[in-house]
Amino acid sequence: MFLKHIAIIGGGIIGATAAFYLTRPTETDSVEVTLFDDGEGQATKAASGIISPWLSKRRNKRWYALAKRGAELIPELVHGAQLGSEVYEQTGTIVTRKSSEDLKALYTEAKEKAATTPAMGEVQLFSATQVGEKLPFLTTPPAGVFVSGGAKIDGAQFVNQLLDNAQAHHLKIVHGRAKFNSSGLITCDSQQVSFDRTIVATGAWMKATLAPLGLNLAVRPQKGQLIDISVHTKESWDTLPVMMPEGSSDIIPFAGGKLVIGATHEDDQQFDLTPTKTARDELLANAGAFISNLAKEQVVDMRVGTRAYTPDFGPFFGQLPTNPAISVGGGLGSSGLTTGPIIGYLLAKSVLGELDQDLSCYTKPVSDYLANL
């Protein structure tokens, strides 16, 4: 039986998902998978987020097709990897609009999409009172559209448990920063290794990862910060929905009275990972528009990560046109928890030779984001 040696560079949401699917038992060629990751600044491990792409204001059709497919895959992935409710929970989402006319239009859009999108579940138009009943910690609840198929996810737990699962199926993890030499071989800790196929998923750092290959990737970093707020409550909060207020920060309740608020979008901070008072105060004020009497003393944690953005804000993935043995996936922006898993899945299937569909409905060609140095 042929043994294929596969490398994954980057242990974020794309790399971890690819590792999970590459290490599944198979009746075809056996594989040996090595993942390289130094963990620095990883956006996924700093993130708690929402899986609910259907009512996004984004009008990029490729992005929507990808995000929609991602929202369908994640429950299957959670079940297959036996991830717990502390990682992922389908509690529904409440999406708001500032004007009543826009909210009615959103509800109409949601009903139309739900008719052909089973993953959305039930759609309801909620008054401010009904939103307050769903989220009792709100003191000034807005009206909104409730989508029962929406979910909340803990990025760090998601990645860690996927990698634990893959390690149980013989994934090898190397904790270090892997680099290419000009010949496309991987070096890490002064050791040079050759692989049959490589998946590169280094997020905002991918520009530097690909530079030794003579390629200039059009990707930029963006700093994102979020805060965890502790709220005294007698309720469990286990099944409370998340809220996505228009023009403000998402509010995500977790068990034990924890609220996650975020995240910021800071384009001028590059790879800086320092939590800032400015971000804390901004996020606290955004939450304070709906929850009165919040104090900075209730902020129990701040997390910082670095997202990757492309010029057109679209994710990209596929084989390098200059070296088909190397596949890449990135440019997730702020939708990484939704789009990352489906990209990891599709890349894994491609590497195994099991991909039987055209990817152009999900992404532009990788060449659109590359230039020779």
Side-chain angles (χ1 to χ4, degrees), residues 51-72:
I51 309 300
S52 186
W54 308 289
L55 301 182
S56 170
K57 288 186 175 183
R58 296 179 65 168
R59 292 297 175 257
N60 182 320
K61 292 182 179 179
R62 289 187 179 91
W63 175 87
Y64 181 71
L66 183 68
K68 180 181 176 183
R69 178 90 185 272
E72 294 166 352

Side-chain angles (χ1 to χ4, degrees), residues 105-308:
L106 183 72
Y107 176 62
T108 299
E109 177 189 350
K111 291 291 285 185
E112 291 174 352
K113 286 183 174 178
T116 57
T117 310
M120 287 181 68
E122 183 182 2
V123 171
Q124 294 176 272
L125 181 61
F126 279 178
S127 66
T129 299
Q130 288 172 307
V131 171
E133 291 171 350
K134 281 281 189 180
L135 297 172
F137 57 84
L138 299 178
T139 56
T140 312
V145 173
F146 175 73
V147 181
S148 68
K152 55 190 174 187
I153 186 171
D154 184 298
Q157 292 264 23
F158 187 79
V159 164
N160 290 338
Q161 291 194 26
L162 278 183
L163 291 178
D164 287 346
N165 191 301
Q167 281 185 286
H169 292 85
H170 310 297
L171 170 71
K172 177 183 177 182
I173 296 181
V174 177
H175 297 285
R177 178 161 294 191
K179 300 179 180 179
F180 286 113
N181 64 18
S182 59
S183 301
L185 297 178
I186 293 174
T187 62
C188 184
D189 296 332
S190 301
Q191 293 187 348
Q192 184 172 288
V193 192
S194 176
F195 292 90
D196 298 308
R197 294 292 300 271
T198 300
I199 294 174
V200 179
T202 50
W205 287 264
M206 200 186 300
K207 187 181 185 77
T209 306
L210 298 182
L213 302 179
L215 298 172
N216 183 14
L217 179 68
V219 68
R220 63 177 175 84
Q222 183 190 77
K223 183 177 181 177
Q225 303 185 61
L226 52 77
I227 59 175
D228 293 344
I229 297 175
S230 178
V231 177
H232 179 70
T233 176
K234 295 180 180 179
E235 300 163 321
S236 67
W237 285 21
D238 288 347
T239 59
L240 296 188
V242 299
M243 189 169 83
M244 306 171 69
E246 183 181 26
S248 189
S249 303
D250 295 335
I251 299 175
I252 311 173
F254 284 90
K258 183 177 84 170
L259 288 178
V260 176
I261 313 296
T264 63
H265 296 77
E266 303 168 57
D267 292 318
D268 59 344
Q269 298 298 304
Q270 293 293 306
F271 294 96
D272 177 66
L273 296 173
T274 308
T276 64
K277 177 180 179 298
T278 300
R280 182 201 67 190
D281 292 347
E282 173 191 334
L283 294 169
L284 199 61
N286 287 346
F290 307 100
I291 311 165
S292 63
N293 301 319
L294 287 176
K296 62 183 180 182
E297 290 76 19
Q298 290 174 263
V299 178
V300 295
D301 193 18
M302 290 191 69
R303 283 170 278 158
V304 186
T306 307
R307 308 183 188 95

